[in-house]
Amino acid sequence: MHDEPILQTYNLSKRYKKRWAVRDLNLIVRRGEVFGFLGPNGAGKSTTIRMILSLVKPTAGRVELFGRALLRNRGSVLKRVGGLVEAADFYLYLSARRNLEIVSALRGDHSSGDIDRVLDVVGLLGRAGDAVKTYSHGMKQRLGIAQALLGNPELVVLDEPTSGLDPQGIKEVRELIQRLSQAGTITVFLSSHLLSEIEQTATSMAIINQGSLVVQGTVAELLASGPSVIRFDARPRERALEILKASPLVDTATVVEPYIQCTVRREATAALTRDLVESGIAVHAIIPRRSLEEYFLSITEGTSDVHAPDLSPPAGITGERLP
Ligand SMILES: Nc1ncnc2c1ncn2[C@@H]1O[C@H](COP(=O)(O)OP(=O)(O)O)[C@@H](O)[C@H]1O
Ligand SMILES: [Mg+2]
């Protein structure tokens, strides 16, 4: 079931005036995947999603959904797709259920069973009678996802669904996406500007930068590929640098203030830390980064409109990012 392509783009391109927002993008999303679409702000994620949902007309290239050209089968294929682009708009003084009833009726669907089902999926059934204005940001976002789930779509496309949420809201939405995919009947396409976000939810991913595809593959493959980088905060530093340079596990070791940065070909964090400690070195911090992470940070750090706190080097010794 994971082999059948459900969404494919062929040289998909969009130009605004003289600028290409998306250029020659070839994506392939297979049934049952959670597909992460990762890129810094301004990379072209929303433009791509709008073209997939037929909200924006491509300048060149095309989209195929369920093996059929979107352009010629718009009505029939889009019935099988649910989308959430930016935050959904709701009537704040009406209840969640009433809001979904209105959307449902606009779609020509009047089955109230479907509304209860989607409210249940997103965990809002108990609050369905409350006015949306009493909802937290995370609850509103879950309601937006509920709306995207109306009509039982085979593919759900979510544009930065955790953007702007607090850590609790992020956790709720992430768990919801995991639940959706575990049911096995739905394919999820979600965008994000955070690698950690994609890593935790997606099974496959593509990275886009300045409108072009950088890489695409399974998350496990991409995160395991290539050399990785470890940063040590170790004292005395000169002695630590000598030890790391002499290690057969280390390809290169250089000072990147205030750290020593090593490139290694395979996982070596534990062995190198032990070598340092056994030589009497005080290790204050260890920051491992995979090559994909290193790469993604290098392209995003060079982008001025990225919010620095989201992508700053991790705090603490585990390399975990703060939420
Ligand atoms: N309606 C538009 N008119 C002109 N330029 C646009 C429009 N929408 C997006 N862009 C430009 O296209 C590029 C990609 O934007 P977008 O797809 O929103 O990126 P992302 O969602 O990855 O942050 C940006 O340079 C943006 O300024
Ligand atoms: Mg966007």
Side-chain angles (χ1 to χ4, degrees):
M1 112 183 174
H2 279 259
D3 292 327
E4 181 199 342
I6 203 165
L7 163 64
Q8 274 183 282
T9 69
Y10 297 88
N11 296 323
L12 190 64
S13 306
K14 179 70 189 180
R15 191 181 56 213
Y16 287 112
K17 303 243 168 73
K18 282 188 179 156
R19 236 176 115 145
W20 292 94
V22 175
R23 186 124 205 213
D24 288 331
L25 190 64
N26 295 296
L27 295 178
I28 176 158
V29 180
R30 296 174 196 282
R31 191 177 286 277
E33 283 180 341
V34 177
F35 186 90
F37 191 41
L38 179 67
N41 291 334
K45 301 180 298 295
S46 296
T47 305
T48 302
I49 285 174
R50 289 197 174 93
M51 290 192 282
I52 291 169
L53 295 173
S54 198
L55 301 169
V56 155
K57 193 169 171 284
T59 309
R62 63 199 169 85
V63 176
E64 263 183 22
L65 285 163
F66 316 106
R68 298 165 76 192
L70 173 60
L71 194 64
R72 269 173 284 124
N73 306 281
R74 197 170 176 269
S76 64
V77 300
L78 288 180
K79 270 203 195 110
R80 301 162 69 182
V81 179
L84 177 62
V85 186
E86 287 166 358
D89 265 335
F90 294 109
Y91 297 105
L92 295 178
Y93 288 90
L94 299 181
S95 70
R97 178 177 276 109
R98 188 73 198 116
N99 270 281
L100 293 184
E101 280 168 3
I102 292 168
V103 176
S104 226
L106 287 172
R107 294 167 52 110
D109 184 352
H110 297 276
S111 60
S112 61
D114 195 33
I115 290 172
D116 279 1
R117 179 188 67 83
V118 298
L119 283 167
D120 191 26
V121 170
V122 303
L124 289 176
L125 199 51
R127 295 281 307 270
D130 297 357
V132 174
K133 71 172 160 60
T134 67
Y135 278 25
S136 69
H137 194 34
M139 289 166 76
K140 279 185 199 144
Q141 197 65 355
R142 283 190 281 146
L143 185 58
I145 297 174
Q147 179 182 312
L149 292 172
L150 284 172
N152 234 335
E154 289 158 68
L155 172 66
V156 177
V157 180
L158 308 171
D159 192 10
E160 305 231 23
T162 60
S163 166
L165 298 182
D166 61 9
Q168 177 58 27
I170 290 173
K171 185 162 169 280
E172 286 170 14
V173 169
R174 185 187 300 146
E175 285 169 358
L176 169 56
I177 292 167
Q178 281 159 350
R179 270 206 309 283
L180 287 177
S181 70
Q182 275 156 11
T185 52
I186 214 164
T187 307
V188 181
F189 181 107
L190 84 153
S191 70
S192 176
H193 64 281
L194 297 174
L195 175 62
S196 58
E197 195 63 48
I198 298 295
E199 229 186 302
Q200 289 177 58
T201 42
T203 51
S204 293
M205 67 187 283
I207 298 182
I208 181 178
N209 190 37
Q210 297 185 354
S212 298
L213 183 72
V214 175
V215 66
Q216 120 174 272
T218 70
V219 171
E221 254 165 40
L222 291 175
L223 288 175
S225 65
S228 51
V229 170
I230 312 169
R231 288 180 173 188
F232 289 99
D233 181 359
R235 320 275 168 79
R237 200 167 64 192
E238 282 313 307
R239 176 81 189 112
L241 187 61
E242 275 170 34
I243 293 166
L244 292 168
K245 276 187 167 161
S247 168
L249 297 170
V250 171
D251 284 339
T252 65
T254 51
V255 171
V256 177
E257 287 294 343
Y259 303 108
I260 301 171
Q261 176 162 311
C262 303
T263 57
V264 294
R265 239 163 291 163
R266 56 189 178 79
E267 175 46 44
T269 313
L272 291 176
T273 308
R274 192 193 54 225
D275 289 353
L276 290 172
V277 171
E278 281 179 358
S279 304
I281 304 285
V283 179
H284 297 276
I286 307 160
I287 305 168
R289 282 181 174 183
R290 279 78 35 93
S291 58
L292 185 67
E293 192 172 13
E294 195 64 23
Y295 179 79
F296 186 65
L297 289 172
S298 70
I299 59 174
T300 52
E301 278 165 0
T303 311
S304 57
D305 60 352
V306 167
H307 302 298
D310 286 337
L311 292 163
S312 58
I317 64 160
T318 61
E320 289 292 316
R321 286 219 185 68
L322 296 173

